[in-house]
Every structure is written in structure tokens, then in C-alpha cells.
Amino acid sequence: RIWLRRTSGKSPYTWSLRYRSQELCPRGGHGMTFATLQRGKEAEDAAADFLQNKGWKILQRNFRMRSAELDLIGLDRETLVFVEVKQRSTRGTGLPEEAVHARKIAKLYQAANFFLKRHPQHAARDCRFDVIAVEGAGAQKELRHLTDVACL
């Protein structure tokens, strides 16, 4: 099978073809397979739909800076909310929300500050961090919304 691998160049869009049985993450991230990436995208889609059904306005998805990414950025009434989506197919590696540890929250802070500098029209808003924990796969997903997991 043909798969893409990110090369060591500075551009994140530099790719090389490899022949193996596994496809690597196009983001160049931590040995994630294409299937894992696809499950993550499906979880983010489900989380966005879940929040929109609660009346939220999703402003941006997958806001990236060099060392961090904000999965969803939305408005809950007048509050700007940075949402981390964590997905697990099984509980073998723990609950999804357990993966949001202090180091991850510090990276989310950096990305949120970068977002606010790039979008000064939101700088005066109240902000918070939420986590959407997604368990299961396919149509059997269970979503849990944890609000205000860290203070900005």
C-alpha cells in the first residue's frame, strides 16, 4: 500500500511517498494512523453538531499555531469558548477527558492567547475552556460536555 510521510523539511506540506501497510498522519503527528485521524475528525464533527444543537455558534475549527491546536472555537451566548475534543474507541487507555492534563492545558492557553491576538474583536469577551469527551465509534458515540475545565 502507498502512504505519505512528512519529510524533515521546514514546510508542513513537504511529503514523500512510502510503501508500507500503514498510512501516517498528514499532520506529522506522533505516529497516528489515517484511521485514527479519521475517528478524530468524526469526533470533532459530532462535537460541533452537538454544540450547534445547544445553540452555540462555531467560529472556527482546528485553529493551529506552531505548537498547539484548538479543536473548536465557539460562542456560547456571549462567552468565547475554546473546546478540546478527545476521543477514545474503548476505555483501554482511560477516559478521553483524562488525556487533558496540565501540559495540554498550558498549550491550549498559548493557542487561545495567540487566537485572541489575531482576532482582537474577541479580546474583551469572557473566555473559558471546555472539553468534549467522545467515547465509542460509528453510530455508538457517547458525548460528555465538561465546562470550564481551566480558567483563563
Side-chain angles (χ1 to χ4, degrees), residues 8 17 42 44 55 61 66 79 83 138 140 151:
S8 60
L17 287 176
E42 289 172 6
E44 288 176 7
R61 296 178 65 158
R66 173 176 258 173
T79 303
V83 181
Q140 302 295 335
C151 300

Side-chain angles (χ1 to χ4, degrees), residues 124-137:
R125 292 184 186 273
D126 289 336
C127 299
R128 74 171 194 249
F129 289 88
D130 289 3
V131 172
I132 300 284
V134 182
E135 278 192 276

Side-chain angles (χ1 to χ4, degrees), residues 5-20:
R5 181 178 66 85
R6 186 174 167 194
T7 61
S8 60
K10 291 190 179 217
S11 170
Y13 304 104
T14 306
W15 300 92
S16 67
L17 287 176
R18 301 278 314 253
Y19 294 91
R20 291 278 178 240

